[in-house]
Amino acid sequence: MSTMTPHTTMDPARRSTTPRPVPRTRATTRRPERVPPPGPPVLADDDYITVAGHPPHVHDFHQFLYVPLGRITVSALGQDHELTAAVALWLPAGVVHSARFGPDAIVVSESFDAELFDLPYAEPTPVNVTDAQRALLLGRMRSSTAGPDCPKAFAALSAAHPDSLPLPQPVSAAALAVARGLARDPSDGRTATEWAAELYTSSTSLRRAFRAETGMAFSEWRTRLRLNHALYLLGQGQLVGLVAAQVGFVSTNGFILAFRRYFGRTPGSYAQQRAQEPG
């Protein structure tokens, strides 16, 4: 079953001896070379976890880490990933990583046999947790029968858009209301001042909440949300100009500039590449 421990991660018991047929997912990226830790590989176990974190170690299975409460920071391949209730992390098998836990962190770990499941990510990949994924994870956390290597769980948790930008969710009432409103309608053009007036708070408080709770300014957060939504629309073959209007950009040129800034290519080039991908 998925595991939940305050201050710690706990990997499920390994492993069923009877292989189960599982639909394999096409890998979309080349697997990088892994740099093993000094000496023999360190496989994680319960005794290896401390209250403050998890020293460098490696798994022989794919791991999905989710933090419904608090924050943790996972370090892998020279990069730090901060996980919250809104942002989870896929760790492919064979990646050396470590973790630091916040004092109130609760961590849910889902594991999947690397021989049975083909993860569409070759490197540690943060993903935005949807409401449906959150409900699935919390339900498995409470279940006494949920075990590792669940095909339905793997399909649901690996379904996030591979190019999606990390987008932490605010937690305070006013900021969360704005975030949910924009998620329903990314084209909503209200400023932070206009949102604050509608929610009977000050624009300074609202902007401060976004900065403190998501790590980015309100305008930056809104731009990322709009671009994430644009990925799906472009993948459906919609025209660049139409996508720009649907996600709230005033001009097509502004949309193209923002898209290239975050994704390193134009939306037209991205749409063309997606159209050429098999499946």
Side-chain angles (χ1 to χ4, degrees):
M1 62 179 290
S2 60
T3 59
M4 176 195 73
T5 55
H7 312 295
T8 67
T9 56
M10 184 179 299
D11 300 322
R14 313 302 306 158
R15 167 86 47 213
S16 173
T17 58
T18 304
R20 283 162 288 180
V22 178
R24 299 181 68 84
T25 307
R26 176 179 56 83
T28 58
T29 52
R30 181 177 61 85
R31 297 188 182 279
E33 295 183 3
R34 303 300 180 204
V35 180
V42 180
L43 293 178
D45 57 36
D46 295 351
D47 296 333
Y48 198 61
I49 303 171
T50 69
V51 172
H54 212 164
H57 63 285
V58 65
H59 300 299
D60 59 358
F61 53 88
H62 303 312
Q63 185 180 39
F64 184 89
L65 288 175
Y66 173 60
V67 186
L69 179 65
R71 295 172 183 261
I72 72 170
T73 301
V74 178
S75 300
L77 300 183
Q79 189 170 3
D80 290 342
H81 303 277
E82 185 174 355
L83 310 187
T84 66
V87 179
L89 183 70
W90 270 111
L91 281 166
V95 174
V96 180
H97 60 282
S98 61
R100 300 189 303 275
F101 304 139
D104 60 347
I106 293 177
V107 183
V108 176
S109 170
E110 293 280 355
S111 62
F112 302 93
D113 193 319
E115 295 299 320
L116 297 177
F117 295 86
D118 197 357
L119 189 66
Y121 308 119
E123 297 185 353
T125 302
V127 294
N128 299 317
V129 179
T130 66
D131 289 340
Q133 289 171 331
R134 183 178 299 107
L136 170 70
L137 289 162
L138 295 179
R140 285 177 57 78
M141 183 180 72
R142 294 189 296 266
S143 172
S144 60
T145 59
D149 300 333
C150 174
K152 290 184 178 180
F154 181 82
L157 297 176
S158 61
H161 198 290
D163 299 318
S164 183
L165 298 166
L167 194 70
Q169 297 295 298
V171 295
S172 59
L176 183 59
V178 174
R180 288 174 173 172
L182 287 170
R184 288 191 297 269
D185 180 13
S187 67
D188 193 318
R190 280 177 285 183
T191 65
T193 301
E194 291 169 332
W195 277 108
E198 181 173 321
L199 296 169
Y200 303 101
T201 186
S202 70
S203 60
T204 299
S205 297
L206 183 60
R207 293 177 189 276
R208 185 180 295 125
F210 266 91
R211 176 72 71 179
E213 296 167 15
T214 71
M216 60 190 76
F218 166 74
S219 58
E220 165 78 3
W221 191 94
R222 183 177 60 182
T223 296
R224 286 182 173 230
L225 178 136
R226 288 173 169 176
L227 291 174
N228 282 345
H229 191 65
L231 293 174
Y232 291 95
L233 299 178
L234 291 169
Q236 294 170 0
Q238 297 196 29
L239 297 176
V240 171
L242 180 59
V243 172
Q246 285 184 300
V247 300
F249 281 85
V250 175
S251 70
T252 301
N253 284 340
F255 171 59
I256 293 173
L257 290 173
F259 196 95
R260 183 175 355 208
R261 174 190 168 197
Y262 285 91
F263 298 114
R265 63 187 119 170
T266 65
S269 172
Y270 177 84
Q272 183 178 20
Q273 178 186 340
R274 294 285 293 177
Q276 293 172 349
E277 292 177 354

